[in-house]
């Protein structure tokens, strides 16, 4: 996804939420909310564990707060998946 595409989406009313590393993705310029997490660890590669943990915690909390809407959406997605699986 490019910055231009996200900027166009934001102009159409999309809420852009970015989860990124401490160096900030260029997409942070168009995001409404930016969660920048430190991902460096004492190894040869960076860890995405902090970002994954934050995402899981946010999903759990939002699901609890808005369960009726979440449940309905999940049921819609499962119905689509079942139709695709039936092919």
């Amino acid at each position: 996804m490019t910055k231009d595409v996200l900027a166009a989406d934001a102009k159409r009313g999309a809420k852009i939420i970015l989860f990124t590393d401490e160096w900030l993705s260029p997409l942070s310029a168009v995001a409404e909310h930016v969660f920048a997490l430190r991902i460096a660890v004492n190894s040869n590669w960076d860890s995405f564990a902090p970002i994954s943990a934050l995402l899981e915690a946010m999903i759990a909390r939002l699901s609890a707060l808005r369960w009726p809407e979440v449940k309905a959406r999940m049921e819609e997605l499962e119905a689509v998946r079942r139709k695709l699986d039936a092919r």
Side-chain angles (χ1 to χ4, degrees):
M1 183 138 317
T2 68
K3 185 176 168 183
D4 293 338
V5 171
L6 286 180
D9 290 341
K11 284 182 182 177
R12 287 194 302 272
K15 304 271 188 227
I16 310 299
I17 302 170
L18 176 66
F19 295 84
T20 185
D21 56 32
E22 61 195 289
W23 299 282
L24 292 178
S25 163
L27 301 178
S28 63
V30 296
E32 185 170 337
H33 302 283
V34 177
F35 294 89
L37 291 100
R38 186 163 192 270
I39 61 172
V41 293
N42 190 18
S43 72
N44 293 332
W45 59 87
D46 289 338
S47 171
F48 290 96
I51 292 173
S52 296
L54 177 60
L55 282 168
E56 287 196 28
M58 291 178 81
I59 290 167
R61 183 63 179 143
L62 289 169
S63 293
L65 289 173
R66 301 180 75 153
W67 179 245
E69 294 166 73
V70 170
K71 182 178 184 230
R73 181 68 175 148
M74 289 172 68
E75 289 170 348
E76 288 174 24
L77 292 172
E78 283 300 308
V80 170
R81 185 191 57 80
R82 282 192 296 276
K83 285 180 185 178
L84 292 173
D85 286 348
R87 291 181 176 181

